[in-house]
Amino acid sequence: SNVMVTHHDGKPVPKVIDFGIAKALAQPLTERTLVTQVGMTVGTPAYMSPEQADPSALDVDTRTDIYSLGVMLYELLVGRLPLDPTEMGFPMFMVRLSQRDTNVSRPSAKLATMGQVATAISAHRRTDVKGLRRELMGDVDWIVMKALEPDRTRRYQTVHDLGMDLHRFLHNEPVVARPPSAMYRLSKFVRRHRVAVGAGALVMA
């Protein structure tokens, strides 16, 4: 409900309204001052980063938004949250999150455990379960899991970095989230230049 999709020049443009914790600093917006207490849980639990859930963390920075965007991406891909507070109860969820004990399944692995629900989710994405899993396995799994790293120093450092890795995936380029290897880079090169590689192989043959 915090994401609005508008049309700009005939193209859909998503806008994050806010993650529910924005407040005025320069001037009051209400007659009664809204004070945030130490230890108070502020935000929508399912989309909170581990450092937001940790009462001792005082240096939360913009990398917490990377985690929230990772949760949204996960949900868009498989129709489920990586961690659902309603399944384990709010207190246990907050304890696990604050302790960085997330143990999130990769999107492709999550899909494999969803039974008949996975069939409906895949149909909404114009494919079947096998096809959707094949699309998620590999680069997409790596990108999502990097965004959902409990240790923020191992996440994407900016939203631009996350966006660029998604751009690389869509253009069959090596993604930063995945450990580099010669075979991986070669496979990406072949996908980008299938006609040229095929012609070259034919000539060599």
Side-chain angles (χ1 to χ4, degrees), residues 77-141:
L77 294 170
V78 298
R80 290 290 182 274
L81 292 165
L83 283 178
D84 193 341
T86 62
E87 291 180 357
M88 65 185 76
F90 177 73
M92 179 58 68
F93 173 84
M94 293 302 292
V95 168
R96 283 187 55 184
L97 192 61
S98 64
Q99 293 178 349
R100 276 70 171 170
D101 180 24
T102 52
N103 194 28
V104 173
S105 299
R106 291 174 288 111
S108 61
K110 181 80 167 182
L111 191 70
T113 66
M114 292 165 53
Q116 291 298 318
V117 177
T119 304
I121 294 294
S122 302
H124 283 304
R125 285 144 185 78
R126 299 192 181 102
T127 185
D128 56 17
V129 176
K130 186 177 180 180
L132 183 56
R133 283 202 70 202
R134 187 168 53 247
E135 287 289 329
L136 299 178
M137 291 176 70
D139 287 351
V140 177
D141 276 342

Side-chain angles (χ1 to χ4, degrees), residues 63 66 69 143 146-147 155-169 175-177:
R63 286 173 291 185
I66 305 299
L69 289 169
I143 290 171
K146 184 174 179 66
R155 289 178 212 149
Y156 293 102
Q157 297 302 291
T158 66
V159 174
H160 180 261
D161 292 341
L162 170 58
M164 286 304 298
D165 235 8
L166 290 169
H167 178 84
R168 292 184 192 100
F169 164 71
V175 300
V176 173

